[in-house]
Amino acid sequence: MTEEYDYDLVVVGGGPAGSSTAFTAAKSGIKVALLEKENSIAETVRTSGVTWIESIKEFGIPDHCYNPIKNFSFVSPNNEVTISDSIATAAVLDVRKTYRWLAHEAEKAGADIFVKININEVIKNENNDIVGVSGTGPNGKIIFHSKVIIDATGFTSVISKAMGFVTQWKRFGAGAEYEAKVENVDPDTWWLMVGQEYTPAGYAWIFPLGNNIVRIGVGVGKPESDVDPTQRLKEILEKQLGPIKKLGKITPIEFHYGLIPNDGLSRKTVFNNLILVGDSAGQANPLVLEGIRYAIKFGRVAGKVASDAIKNKKTDADALYPYEENWRNAIESKINSARKVQDRWIGLSDKEWDKELDIIKELKTEEFLDFIKADFGLSNMLKLAVSHPKLAVRQLFNLVKGK
Ligand SMILES: Cc1cc2nc3c(=O)[nH]c(=O)nc-3n(C[C@H](O)[C@H](O)[C@H](O)COP(=O)(O)OP(=O)(O)OC[C@H]3O[C@@H](n4cnc5c(N)ncnc54)[C@H](O)[C@@H]3O)c2cc1C
């Protein structure tokens, strides 16, 4: 028997983008369904979960969901730098707790959450606009009719692909990591490890979660390199490269694997009755491949814009455009600048990485943080590009501002 439902808004995908969209939409009083294909929200973890305390506070994520980070260490084959802050500015999220908290907020606001629902088809009207989705649930075929649909399915972009609006991301990052118990670790310090032995295109990492638990991983840029991140992770663990050696005995608890788009902001993200959010929209900072804060921030915007459109009974691409305008104004120029730095980093040899770390050593803490967060305020960058006391740093900032 086919189950059939009618909602104002159907959100496909229970990651941070989907839950956040469902939250603001339900809060504004419309009827919202959030659909997730796994057995529970965040059953599979596909991310390292690094984000910024400022964003955590903005979203109201509870303190028990993260481990704060004060020190940022980089290591290249023959160089090392640690940038320290007096207060914690970054954090490593307990991903399951955070994603479940986000979904719970949506549920408390009135959204209905359906798990074990794998959506694989779209329903169109006579104009070829989307008006629903269908898939399989615990009891067989299931159909959801809706005024607006949100594609929050992440990298796979299931809904936009089924509509024929997008094709597979061509440039992306592939990452593999272990969450593991270790003997020795400073819970306040993260490590980024660069150079050919760690990864030919990208970086490796150690992110502490507290209680002697860390995430150790390797990211590889595609198509730049054909190295398999899982294989490379095993190799660097066996060789106990760099700071990995200091961790002592490593006992894996869980393995994570994921893909993140890195094609820039190339996609249109509103269509008649359809919005793309989070990774399906390509909203990620390509420098360090982080997208969680954007998924939450712009998910919340999408929920509000969609509910306003539904209440006004006009849900075409024009009515939904304020969402795209909002996120483009907020991050488009920053992401474009970050791409230029990433292009420089992806081609560096080991010797050049050693030198790049010398440049990073010259950055003040706040300059470094703006840089790694891709928070490139243009006036700030112009100032630094012209008047930073160190020539090498001026060159780096010149690159960001586009000269
Ligand atoms: C290795 C790696 C490390 C990363 N590290 C960081 C980091 O440290 N910090 C950071 O900010 N970002 C990081 N990211 C990026 C971050 O994970 C993403 O930007 C973020 O998860 C995007 O959220 P989302 O909700 O758009 O997608 P997702 O988190 O991918 O959520 C999509 C959801 O949709 C569900 N779904 C998919 N298809 C269907 C379907 N057909 N039917 C129903 N449900 C479906 C999935 O099960 C999933 O729950 C990393 C990514 C990778 C790959």
Side-chain angles (χ1 to χ4, degrees), residues 263-274:
D263 254 347
L265 299 170
S266 54
R267 285 186 178 173
K268 187 168 172 299
T269 59
V270 291
F271 298 88
N272 293 344
N273 310 340
L274 176 67

Side-chain angles (χ1 to χ4, degrees), residues 12-18 35-38 42 46-51 99 117-120 152-156 158 173-176 205 207 257-260 277-280 283-284 288-293 295:
V12 187
L35 317 181
E36 169 55 48
K37 70 175 177 184
E38 297 200 317
R46 300 182 193 84
T47 179
S48 309
V50 164
T51 197
Y99 285 14
I117 307 288
N118 188 7
I119 296 299
N120 46 30
T153 57
F155 186 87
T156 49
V158 175
W205 61 85
F207 294 144
Y257 184 89
L259 305 173
I260 177 168
V277 282
D279 277 5
S280 79
Q283 290 158 344
V288 285
L289 296 183
E290 53 132 347
I292 296 171
R293 67 188 154 123

Side-chain angles (χ1 to χ4, degrees), residues 44-48 155 172-178 199 201-205 207 216-222 227-233 255-261 288-289:
T44 308
V45 173
R46 300 182 193 84
T47 179
S48 309
F155 186 87
F172 58 93
E177 73 176 11
Y178 283 112
T199 165
Y203 63 95
W205 61 85
F207 294 144
I216 314 172
V218 169
V220 180
K222 306 281 174 189
V227 163
D228 171 7
T230 309
Q231 185 55 35
R232 183 54 65 92
L233 175 60
F255 177 70
H256 304 153
Y257 184 89
L259 305 173
I260 177 168
V288 285
L289 296 183

Side-chain angles (χ1 to χ4, degrees), residues 6 11 30 37 72 84 134 176 182 205 219 238 252 255 310:
D6 262 302
V11 182
I30 61 167
K37 70 175 177 184
F72 309 94
S84 296
S134 70
V182 296
W205 61 85
E238 257 165 42
F255 177 70
I310 289 163

Side-chain angles (χ1 to χ4, degrees), residues 23-35:
F23 167 64
T24 45
K27 218 169 79 170
S28 79
I30 61 167
K31 200 178 164 207
V32 180
L34 175 63
L35 317 181

